[in-house]
Amino acid sequence: MSAVAVETEIRSILDQLGIKEVNSGASTGTYWFNTRGNEIQSFSPVDGNLIAAVRSATEVEYEAAILKGQEAFKEWRLVPAPKRGEIVRQLGMKLREFKEPLGKLVSYEMGKSYQEGLGEVQEMIDICDFAVGLSRQLNGSTLHSERPVHRMYDQYHPLGIVGIISAFNFPVAVWCWNTALAWICGDVCVWKPSEKTPLTAIACQKIVAEVFQNNQVPEGVSSVIIGGADLGVLMSNDKRVPLVSATGSTRMGKAVGEAVGKRLGKSLLELGGNNAIIITPTADLKLVLPGVVFGAVGTSGQRCTSTRRLIIHDSIFDTVRDILVNAYKQIKIGNPLDESNHMGPLIDTDAVKTYLDALDQVKEAGGKMLVKGNVLSGPGYESGCYVSPSIAEVENHYGIVQHETFAPILYIIKYSGDVSNAIALQNDVAQGLSSSIFTNNIRESEQFLSASGSDCGIANVNIGTSGAEIGGAFGGEKETGGGRESGSDAWKIYMRRQTNTINYSTELPLAQGIKFDF
């Protein structure tokens, strides 16, 4: 597709999604503020072209969004949960209508492949479907009281305002993971998306606004404030925001967690990963290859679940190494809108510099470069954001290996002996998000999944580290933050728990048999 054809198609998509050349970066639903904040220009890493610009929200717009959210919450929390679920169902249907244009905008603004852009919108649709069913299952427990003629139960109530801070690599799905659940729980949401991908956020807000307006949902149930880290600081320190859900780097998450913790608020942190795949002697190598390569180069290594480390038994190390090196020769890198390409650009030139710095550190630490990546130039690579992926043979203790680099670098590490040694290597990093083992030995797989096995929030057998279904709770341990989003019972963090005891007798017995007569 020619540059002119791409520009024409993207302009058509922007028109469909209601995005102009210069947009407001603050909205409480159908209302968009005439903000006087700084202009944020969104350049595509695909071709370096300016897509459109956004006027960032200021502290004034932030305050207005919070006040509107407080007002909306008083009404929204009283809407029956199944009715809230019906509105989220309609949002899922609307996202189906916009799946192709929104997926293409995600691909063009962020740089991931078009198929991954479509997959991200599908995740939004899936979580809406999940939330619809959940809206009829926000159940507590009936408990037995020790006192006669008493009844006990626990129940869940909405929290209030949920603040959402999301990252550039999943510019729409993670927001929807939070909002779909928060909305059916009766909360209102204020979203601060990454300033690197502002246009996808505007598109989402416009799609939601249409559905909410058709259902007379109060203004303020869905707000967006686009801007820099200062808005995240305001949100983290704001006592009116009982829950802050933050996705991003460990450094950012620590700052958010500290600020929210000081005011005794709740935080849901989904932070960095340093994910490993263990390959044992019985592994089916036909499964290993696609799992490892997609995990390492999918989204150009810019997923929190990207495969960073490959821990291979010494008896098959040379075989696996050679297969991977050969596979990397076949990776096609280019415009992510071209579905024949496996890998698109990094998000920006700063990310390219970080990638190159990491390669230098690998060399300084004594690592052996098996496939050395470079910055790509020439026709199709004008943005300066394209790199080729790398494979390095390293030791697990190297400082750069212990660190998460958001780029397509795969570290391969040799282990000997039984699987316990591989598990120890896998766990010997500060992060604990996703992990995998490839084995046909049931004892090894069960050990990997046991209490003495993987210490990550996600542990897979015979699939890679990257990619997760919305039905399971998503998140990790240690410096990954401990938060859980999406499926299972992750909904509970968006609600406050209340224990109720009802005395329907004519007496007032005290718990623990205490006597208090007068």
Side-chain angles (χ1 to χ4, degrees):
M1 185 182 293
S2 69
V4 173
V6 169
E7 184 177 352
T8 301
E9 183 178 15
I10 294 300
R11 188 66 260 168
S12 174
I13 287 170
L14 297 179
D15 289 342
Q16 289 181 62
L17 296 170
I19 296 173
K20 302 175 294 184
E21 289 186 8
V22 180
N23 302 263
S24 170
S27 167
T28 55
T30 57
Y31 179 76
W32 291 83
F33 291 91
N34 184 23
T35 175
R36 300 185 183 278
N38 296 328
E39 185 172 284
I40 300 173
Q41 295 182 321
S42 181
F43 290 91
S44 172
V46 174
D47 52 23
N49 289 340
L50 175 64
I51 313 173
V54 174
R55 286 283 181 189
S56 63
T58 66
E59 186 171 347
V60 172
E61 283 89 48
Y62 170 82
E63 182 67 20
I66 294 296
L67 292 175
K68 185 60 72 172
Q70 286 183 305
E71 182 182 333
F73 176 61
K74 294 175 184 177
E75 182 178 345
W76 183 241
R77 65 185 175 182
L78 298 179
V79 176
K83 298 293 185 185
R84 299 191 295 253
E86 164 58 20
I87 296 168
V88 171
R89 184 194 68 79
Q90 293 177 36
L91 173 59
M93 297 305 294
K94 185 62 66 175
L95 288 169
R96 286 172 168 87
E97 293 179 28
F98 283 98
K99 180 177 177 179
E100 183 175 327
L102 183 55
K104 194 155 286 187
L105 179 60
V106 167
S107 176
Y108 188 64
E109 187 175 35
M110 184 266 152
K112 64 175 57 176
S113 75
Y114 178 44
Q115 280 298 312
E116 290 184 78
L118 291 175
E120 185 166 349
V121 181
Q122 186 61 49
E123 280 194 75
M124 302 172 77
I125 294 167
D126 291 345
I127 196 66
C128 286
D129 289 350
F130 180 86
V132 173
L134 188 63
S135 68
R136 295 180 180 270
Q137 301 179 68
L138 303 175
N139 54 308
S141 302
T142 299
L143 310 169
H144 289 277
S145 174
E146 68 184 53
R147 289 166 284 184
V149 204
H150 282 60
R151 181 166 66 89
M152 293 178 62
Y153 65 94
D154 60 18
Q155 62 178 332
Y156 292 85
H157 293 302
L159 274 177
I161 297 175
V162 173
I164 301 167
I165 301 172
S166 63
F168 74 86
N169 60 330
F170 279 85
V172 295
V174 171
W175 164 75
C176 206
W177 283 6
N178 284 275
T179 53
L181 298 188
W183 286 333
I184 63 104
C185 289
D187 299 318
V188 303
C189 297
V190 178
W191 178 26
K192 195 210 87 64
S194 170
E195 61 269 36
K196 295 183 179 183
T197 50
L199 303 181
T200 50
I202 290 172
C204 288
Q205 181 72 349
K206 288 181 177 290
I207 292 169
V208 170
E210 181 181 345
V211 174
F212 279 16
Q213 187 175 29
N214 291 340
N215 288 273
Q216 298 180 316
V217 174
E219 193 84 8
V221 171
S222 177
S223 294
V224 62
I225 48 166
I226 298 172
D230 56 317
L231 294 177
V233 171
L234 285 174
M235 184 182 289
S236 300
N237 286 282
D238 195 335
K239 292 182 178 180
R240 297 167 297 180
V241 184
L243 171 64
V244 176
S245 174
T247 302
S249 68
T250 296
R251 178 188 58 78
M252 179 275 288
K254 286 181 177 179
V256 171
E258 181 179 2
V260 175
K262 281 183 177 178
R263 60 179 176 85
L264 298 181
K266 297 169 67 175
S267 57
L268 192 170
L269 303 177
E270 200 282 286
L271 311 175
N274 196 344
N275 316 296
I277 294 177
I278 295 171
I279 303 178
T280 74
T282 66
D284 184 342
L285 297 186
K286 295 191 302 296
L287 300 181
V288 168
L289 184 61
V292 171
V293 176
F294 175 72
V297 308
T299 325
S300 301
Q302 296 174 115
R303 291 183 176 218
C304 52
T305 56
S306 289
T307 304
R308 310 289 178 200
R309 298 173 296 140
L310 198 59
I311 302 170
I312 312 166
H313 194 269
D314 56 10
S315 65
I316 57 170
F317 184 87
D318 292 350
T319 300
V320 174
R321 177 198 61 203
D322 293 346
I323 289 173
L324 282 172
V325 169
N326 184 60
Y328 267 50
K329 296 175 183 177
Q330 303 170 51
I331 293 173
K332 297 178 181 178
I333 306 165
N335 189 322
L337 299 178
D338 181 345
E339 296 185 60
S340 66
N341 289 324
H342 301 108
M343 184 175 140
L346 294 176
I347 184 64
D348 54 28
T349 54
D350 287 341
V352 173
K353 183 179 183 302
T354 298
Y355 174 59
L356 297 177
D357 288 346
L359 296 183
D360 289 341
Q361 291 181 56
V362 171
K363 183 178 178 180
E364 291 170 6
K368 180 181 179 182
M369 296 303 306
L370 304 177
V371 177
K372 187 177 186 305
N374 296 291
V375 180
L376 303 181
S377 59
Y381 302 130
E382 290 86 355
S383 70
C385 298
Y386 290 88
V387 300
S388 56
S390 297
I391 301 176
E393 185 176 342
V394 299
E395 297 291 335
N396 196 65
H397 62 81
Y398 291 173
I400 187 61
V401 177
Q402 292 282 314
H403 175 76
E404 179 192 38
T405 302
F406 234 47
I409 307 175
L410 178 64
Y411 301 118
I412 63 172
I413 301 161
K414 186 182 298 184
Y415 84 94
S416 58
D418 65 27
V419 75
S420 298
N421 297 326
I423 293 172
L425 286 170
Q426 182 219 271
N427 292 345
D428 190 23
V429 292
Q431 309 84 358
L433 179 52
S434 187
S435 59
S436 298
I437 187 170
F438 280 83
T439 180
N440 283 329
N441 183 319
I442 191 170
R443 290 178 176 172
E444 289 180 334
S445 64
E446 289 298 320
Q447 182 176 346
F448 180 74
L449 300 175
S450 73
S452 62
S454 169
D455 64 2
C456 295
I458 299 169
N460 300 324
V461 176
N462 292 331
I463 62 171
T465 62
S466 190
E469 299 178 29
I470 59 90
F474 182 89
E477 301 303 319
K478 302 189 292 189
E479 288 193 359
T480 302
R484 292 297 185 276
E485 295 173 312
S486 192
S488 187
D489 65 348
W491 62 271
K492 291 181 178 178
I493 196 167
Y494 302 96
M495 306 196 82
R496 59 181 177 87
R497 186 170 185 161
Q498 184 181 82
T499 300
N500 308 115
T501 306
I502 301 169
N503 175 11
Y504 58 101
S505 75
T506 57
E507 299 180 359
L508 187 65
L510 300 177
Q512 292 84 47
I514 295 173
K515 300 297 183 182
F516 188 74
D517 298 325
F518 64 93

